Amino acid sequence: MSLPVAGYKGSVAQKSTMPKYSKVLISAAAFIYIGSLLTLLKMMRIIDNHEVGDHIMSPEKIKTEINCAKSPKDLMQPTTTKVEQRKQYNEMAMEIAAKWNLTTPNAAALLVQQFEKANDYNPEQDFFHFHHLYKSGGTSISNFMDQTVGLPKVGNYWEGILPGSYESGNFDHDEALLDINKRLAEGTKREDLPYKASYAHTGLRPVYGPHRTKTAKFFQEQMPNKRLRAITMLREPTDFRASNHAMIMCGLNSEISKFNRQRAKEGLDQVCSPKDGLNVSALVDIKTQNLIDKCKSGAKVNGQQKQQCQDYANGVDIFEHCRSPSHLLEHYQYDKHYRSMFTGLMGRYHRGQEFGGTAYVGMSYGYESAEESKGYSVENVEEYTLQDLGGIDLTISGAGDGGPPEPDFIWFGITERMRESTILFYYFFKSKPLERIPQHRIQDCRPTESVGWTTEHREIVKQKEPADYAVWRAANAILDVRMAKMKMEIQAQL
């Protein structure tokens, strides 16, 4: 078919103009390709323990290769057959499954599916919600989202982040609705709303079924044209509990900071562990006395504090569980608050459970033990995590078998592997790497050290929480696969 151009007849116009257009298109594609490769090079350089060797081409060599190629796509042709590639994936999957002690029989097969899973993120179609579990590095990730998918910043807001998002709070549906209605009133079409993501301690899933969350209903009603997706963070289970115990349950981080500030005034170095002279139990005594003095003074106290003062008068050590990890692990407060803390991550541990527990994850948690649920086994938890958190089973539904699929996890990060996690975020969401990853609420004294968590305490948590550790091991295996796959894909383009 000819392209008519003023002053020329069809076939002549096609012969005269198409080569010129082709050159322009190829040049533009080459320019974009060079830019993307330079971004990939930067990503490779900032991956922990990854050396960029001489095999990586300079920008000049990239340009030369592009000029010699028929098209930029020619540089990305696979060097192995599908059979050879699948064999390579299988070998790597078996090694990764063994590394993380996965016991479910189909672990390697599910990891191969993870290797073969395509990244289908579409910023024009997708809206994703970050469910921030307390003390998992989520504040940093929320700020990270602002500076990547949230750009540009207009006034006090990031254009791509739905207002109502709070880095350390629940999602404010009223604030979000106010901004949506404002834009609609100004003439923006609902399908053109600029939001790409949101974040909060509030969970999104389940989107379907009897336990459908308020946030799911809100997003579906206000952004019906969007495909909802999920991201989250998780943390090594003992460290997760240690951090929650030190900051949220007992307020020890604050007491230790005050103690070290006083030492600094006296010209003394800070201390961060019992072996260096930090006496957490003595700080708990001070905390207790301060509360008792407050109750006696007639100052305003909340219901919990009033009950604590009454218990103290009856001879109860009201903060006994705060004195050490050993006290916590033997205390009824552990079973009340710290069982199966990853319930809020996916909404359940295995297919035998109902969805729930993600909408408003309270600071004190308070879930029932996953190990007591019908259908529980470590193997079932591993398998479900590989499928659901790994985003490879798109049939999972809060409405039950055959129901509409829940938003899939397009990305997740692991606190202890923050650098790798953020690199994958850049890659998955096609974002320009930041010069520095935002860091928030990093304690001078790490809770595991300052409160005295030992290897023995960690082993006790492993025995108490096999389900949480099964999730964590499977998540690490998925992250290993994604890192390996990303490196292979980048190197294939260099």
Side-chain angles (χ1 to χ4, degrees):
M1 177 180 176
S2 61
L3 297 175
V5 178
Y8 293 90
K9 294 184 178 180
S11 60
V12 176
Q14 184 179 10
K15 292 179 181 178
S16 301
T17 58
M18 284 305 292
K20 180 180 178 181
Y21 290 155
S22 297
K23 290 178 182 178
V24 171
L25 290 172
I26 292 174
S27 297
F31 180 78
I32 293 170
Y33 184 58
I34 292 170
S36 67
L37 287 180
L38 293 178
T39 298
L40 295 177
L41 284 171
K42 182 174 182 180
M43 290 171 62
M44 291 293 279
R45 287 192 174 96
I46 57 180
I47 295 174
D48 271 342
N49 301 319
H50 182 86
E51 296 296 331
V52 180
D54 295 335
H55 66 283
I56 292 180
M57 295 183 288
S58 66
E60 292 73 20
K61 185 167 178 57
I62 292 173
K63 293 178 184 178
T64 301
E65 293 291 332
I66 288 175
N67 290 333
C68 294
K70 294 181 180 179
S71 73
K73 187 176 179 181
D74 291 339
L75 297 178
M76 296 181 280
Q77 295 300 317
T79 57
T80 58
T81 66
K82 288 185 178 181
V83 173
E84 291 171 332
Q85 187 178 64
R86 189 173 182 83
K87 180 180 179 182
Q88 181 185 18
Y89 286 163
N90 188 62
E91 291 173 352
M92 297 174 70
M94 291 177 66
E95 290 179 4
I96 291 170
K99 171 185 173 182
W100 292 104
N101 299 316
L102 300 183
T103 56
T104 186
N106 59 347
L110 292 172
L111 291 174
V112 169
Q113 290 183 44
Q114 186 66 225
F115 270 114
E116 295 174 338
K117 178 178 179 289
N119 175 20
D120 63 347
Y121 172 66
N122 182 344
E124 302 303 318
Q125 178 187 2
D126 296 339
F127 178 92
F128 63 89
H129 178 71
F130 171 45
H131 182 198
H132 172 190
L133 300 186
Y134 289 94
K135 306 309 299 172
S136 63
T139 302
S140 297
I141 292 298
S142 298
N143 288 176
F144 184 77
M145 289 171 61
D146 288 340
Q147 299 175 52
T148 51
V149 296
L151 293 172
K153 188 174 185 181
V154 180
N156 294 324
Y157 290 95
W158 300 89
E159 189 80 357
I161 301 298
L162 179 61
S165 299
Y166 283 90
E167 62 185 27
S168 295
N170 289 323
F171 187 78
D172 189 327
H173 301 85
D174 293 334
E175 183 178 339
L177 184 60
L178 187 66
D179 194 78
I180 291 171
N181 286 338
K182 176 177 177 291
R183 291 179 183 274
L184 294 176
E186 292 172 348
T188 302
K189 295 181 180 179
R190 192 174 291 276
E191 60 267 26
D192 293 331
L193 291 170
Y195 320 121
K196 291 183 173 65
S198 58
Y199 50 74
H201 286 310
T202 311
L204 171 62
R205 301 166 102 211
V207 170
Y208 302 100
H211 301 294
R212 182 191 188 195
T213 65
K214 177 181 178 180
T215 303
K217 183 174 184 292
F218 180 84
F219 287 170
Q220 288 178 318
E221 290 177 348
Q222 298 302 322
M223 297 179 288
N225 58 306
K226 293 290 188 179
R227 174 173 59 170
L228 298 182
R229 312 191 81 168
I231 69 171
T232 193
M233 287 284 293
L234 67 155
R235 189 172 188 175
E236 196 280 334
T238 300
D239 291 348
F240 193 29
R241 286 161 174 77
S243 187
N244 273 273
H245 174 249
M247 180 178 176
I248 297 172
M249 177 179 276
C250 297
L252 296 177
N253 290 345
S254 175
E255 298 298 327
I256 292 169
S257 294
K258 287 190 289 186
F259 174 73
N260 277 319
R261 284 197 298 270
Q262 183 60 41
R263 285 179 61 87
K265 290 179 181 179
E266 299 170 7
L268 300 173
D269 294 335
Q270 80 170 9
V271 291
C272 284
S273 70
K275 67 181 182 181
D276 295 329
L278 180 62
N279 188 336
V280 172
S281 190
L283 296 181
V284 171
D285 288 337
I286 295 172
K287 178 182 176 71
T288 302
Q289 191 59 52
N290 288 340
L291 176 58
I292 301 308
D293 291 345
K294 185 176 182 179
C295 288
K296 289 181 178 179
S297 70
K300 185 177 180 179
V301 294
N302 60 39
Q304 181 185 33
Q305 292 172 326
K306 184 177 181 180
Q307 183 62 52
Q308 287 172 330
C309 287
Q310 291 175 356
D311 290 343
Y312 179 83
N314 292 327
V316 177
D317 183 354
I318 56 176
F319 295 125
E320 180 183 19
H321 55 286
C322 298
R323 296 187 179 279
S324 72
S326 295
H327 284 90
L328 171 67
L329 293 169
E330 296 172 359
H331 204 274
Y332 77 89
Q333 291 282 9
Y334 181 93
D335 288 334
K336 182 178 180 181
H337 297 293
Y338 286 170
R339 297 309 307 266
S340 300
M341 290 176 70
F342 283 160
T343 298
L345 192 71
M346 296 176 286
R348 62 181 183 179
Y349 283 85
H350 57 86
R351 293 180 185 275
Q353 288 184 301
E354 284 192 2
F355 271 101
T358 69
Y360 292 98
V361 180
M363 283 192 174
S364 57
Y365 291 84
Y367 297 123
E368 64 181 0
S369 173
E371 290 78 13
E372 297 174 4
S373 62
K374 184 179 179 180
Y376 164 80
S377 71
V378 167
E379 291 77 15
N380 285 345
V381 174
E382 290 176 355
E383 178 181 273
Y384 186 77
T385 303
L386 292 171
Q387 293 171 329
D388 192 7
L389 191 61
I392 59 175
D393 187 340
L394 303 184
T395 68
I396 293 170
S397 176
D401 293 343
E406 292 295 322
D408 62 323
F409 286 96
I410 188 172
W411 174 92
F412 69 85
I414 298 176
T415 311
E416 296 78 26
R417 302 176 67 177
M418 182 66 83
R419 193 173 183 85
E420 292 169 292
S421 299
T422 52
I423 292 295
L424 284 169
F425 188 99
Y426 295 136
Y427 192 63
F428 277 29
F429 297 108
K430 304 174 179 64
S431 300
K432 181 181 178 181
L434 302 179
E435 292 300 324
R436 183 176 179 274
I437 297 172
Q439 292 186 340
H440 295 272
R441 299 184 177 178
I442 305 298
Q443 300 296 319
D444 291 335
C445 297
R446 293 176 58 84
T448 48
E449 180 184 12
S450 60
V451 185
W453 288 82
T454 64
T455 302
E456 289 72 22
H457 293 134
R458 196 175 298 273
E459 288 302 317
I460 292 173
V461 176
K462 287 181 179 179
Q463 293 171 15
K464 284 178 173 285
E465 309 295 339
D468 275 6
Y469 269 97
V471 170
W472 182 74
R473 291 195 310 274
N476 273 278
I478 296 168
L479 196 64
D480 277 1
V481 169
R482 291 181 175 177
M483 286 297 296
K485 182 181 178 183
M486 182 192 70
K487 290 179 182 179
M488 288 189 291
E489 289 177 346
I490 291 175
Q491 289 167 345
Q493 297 181 55
L494 298 177

